[in-house]
Amino acid sequence: MTNRGKVALVGAGPGDPELLTLRAARLIAGARLVVFDRLVGEAVLDMVPPDAMRVDVGKQTGRHSLPQDEINRLLVDLALAGHDVVRLKGGDPFIFGRGGEEAQALAAAGVPFEVVPGITAAAGCAASAGIPLTQRGVAESVRLVTGHRMDDRDLDLDWTSLADPRCTLVVYMGVASAERLAGGLRGAGLAGETPVALIERGTTPYQRTFYSTLDGLAADMAAWRPQPPSLLVIGQVVAHVTLPQLRSLVHEAAQ
Ligand SMILES: C[S@@+](CC[C@H](N)C(=O)[O-])C[C@H]1O[C@@H](n2cnc3c(N)ncnc32)[C@H](O)[C@@H]1O
């Protein structure tokens, strides 16, 4: 009987390969078989040994080139066939990454696995745009929410609890629903002048950061036409802390 392999669910971070954990970098460098998503940065994929087998299960918003249950089955089948698999996922596997479902499928099939955390887009993009997600006296908490609904239902977020002026909101997959997000938050009482940043392709050499307000967001988004992946940061920290000087210092340090 073939020995079963094991699976490492590895967070590949937001794009910059220098933001990988040491364990992720070691597992990638030693990989024989890598299963990866579309969000995994090119520079991270360049670290995979050239002779390793690569399986692209390339997910995109609203379109999964391989449905999640087939990805789960693929990981199980590969491991049961004796392969050690490095499953690379953008950001952190357990934050809007469906890593929990993959872990459950592996556990149910008796496949040994480990989870290697990654820097999630909220932390990576905010750092690289010079926006502290919490700041004493400005924002005492931060919430990570998704603007995407699996079945295209209307967003049914708890607007009253989200419309807290002392909480920073980070919205993953929020570009398509930005207008509804802004409307929901405004309707629940958050001020129209609440600052918003949109960070496109954060931590990569192509990063762009745009600034708006809840009231201006819909019109600004139409003008910016952001490319994926993009993340929204909503809250006073965007204006109070992201001073122009800080923005340029962060920019220079990254050169
Ligand atoms: C399916 S979620 C995956 C999140 C991932 N597991 C994480 O922890 O960052 C994909 C969303 O994350 C955000 N995202 C991921 N990487 C990003 C990046 N480099 N720049 C901006 N947004 C990013 C975008 O909102 C994108 O639509």
Side-chain angles (χ1 to χ4, degrees), residues 9-223:
L9 298 173
V10 178
D16 180 349
E18 296 200 12
L19 295 178
L20 288 169
T21 63
L22 292 175
R23 197 190 308 183
R26 178 172 55 73
L27 285 164
I28 293 168
R32 304 305 316 137
L33 199 165
V34 173
V35 176
F36 65 98
D37 286 342
R38 191 188 60 92
L39 264 184
V40 174
E42 276 168 38
V44 172
L45 289 175
D46 286 346
M47 295 168 61
V48 174
D51 58 343
M53 203 190 310
R54 295 160 188 245
V55 183
D56 180 357
V57 290
K59 294 176 168 186
Q60 291 190 25
T61 307
R63 183 172 74 81
H64 291 179
S65 63
L66 204 58
Q68 185 64 48
D69 56 351
E70 287 182 33
I71 296 175
N72 298 349
R73 200 169 320 124
L74 175 72
L75 296 176
V76 168
D77 288 349
L78 288 169
L80 292 182
H83 296 283
D84 285 337
V85 180
V86 173
R87 168 70 172 118
L88 277 181
K89 301 180 77 70
D92 181 90
F94 280 178
I95 296 184
F96 302 128
R98 306 189 74 174
E101 293 165 56
E102 295 179 12
Q104 280 174 323
L106 294 165
V111 172
F113 68 93
E114 66 170 315
V115 182
V116 181
I119 292 189
T120 192
C125 293
S128 138
I131 304 171
L133 293 178
T134 64
Q135 176 84 0
R136 199 144 63 131
V138 181
E140 281 119 19
S141 62
V142 56
R143 284 181 72 172
L144 311 183
V145 297
T146 172
H148 176 63
R149 277 283 175 266
M150 218 165 21
D151 52 7
D152 286 337
R153 269 182 301 128
D154 209 8
L155 275 183
D156 57 358
L157 297 169
D158 177 357
W159 301 114
T160 310
S161 90
L162 290 175
D164 174 355
R166 300 179 74 82
C167 173
T168 305
L169 279 184
V170 182
V171 188
Y172 290 66
M173 298 166 277
V175 167
S177 53
E179 193 169 349
R180 279 178 293 158
L181 273 166
L185 293 169
R186 290 280 291 110
L190 203 59
E193 55 278 10
T194 302
V196 180
L198 180 138
I199 302 151
E200 176 191 274
R201 298 199 272 178
T203 81
T204 75
Y206 315 105
Q207 174 171 324
R208 295 195 300 167
T209 308
F210 302 98
Y211 298 91
S212 183
T213 59
L214 277 187
D215 276 346
L217 190 60
D220 285 341
M221 293 277 276

